[in-house]
Amino acid sequence: MKRISILKPEESIRLDTGLLGELFMELGANGAEDVVCRAIEELSQRLTEAERLYQSAAYSDLRKTVRSLVGIADQVGMWGLARGALHVVDCIDRGDPVALAATHERLLRVAEGSLAAAWDLQGLSV
């Protein structure tokens, strides 16, 4: 009998607390929390849309939606999320459906962890 391995990938999630600290210094606690909260909301909406577009194989629209994640993620120090989004865009541009499937799933894992980490920072001064 052959052994079957079940892979359960985990992503290391890190937020740029230095950038978040700068936001808190520049905008104050309320302003920075507002920026982070709006970013979380916008990222969540776009990720939901990206999943719908991926499932319907609307790759041109998926590319636009995922590409738009980069600027938002960069604004709040979610470098892993931004990098994952760029990898998805690259797979779409190369027309590589196998790599797209893998990078899309990775993007969702990184996004889930990044959004949770950012949410956990709500109310904390960095």
Side-chain angles (χ1 to χ4, degrees), residues 23-92:
L23 280 174
F24 275 79
M25 293 291 287
E26 184 178 316
L27 304 174
N30 290 338
E33 286 180 17
D34 186 48
V35 167
V36 172
C37 188
R38 281 187 281 133
I40 290 171
E41 184 178 323
E42 192 64 35
L43 289 167
S44 296
Q45 289 173 355
R46 291 179 194 216
L47 286 160
T48 299
E49 178 68 5
E51 179 63 12
R52 186 188 68 73
L53 293 168
Y54 176 77
Q55 294 300 326
S56 64
Y59 297 133
S60 177
D61 291 336
L62 174 63
R63 185 188 189 287
K64 289 178 210 166
T65 298
V66 172
R67 183 70 180 96
S68 71
L69 295 172
V70 177
I72 301 166
D74 280 346
Q75 181 184 18
V76 291
M78 295 181 184
W79 309 132
L81 178 57
R83 191 172 39 257
L86 290 172
H87 290 163
V88 169
V89 169
D90 183 54
C91 291
I92 293 168

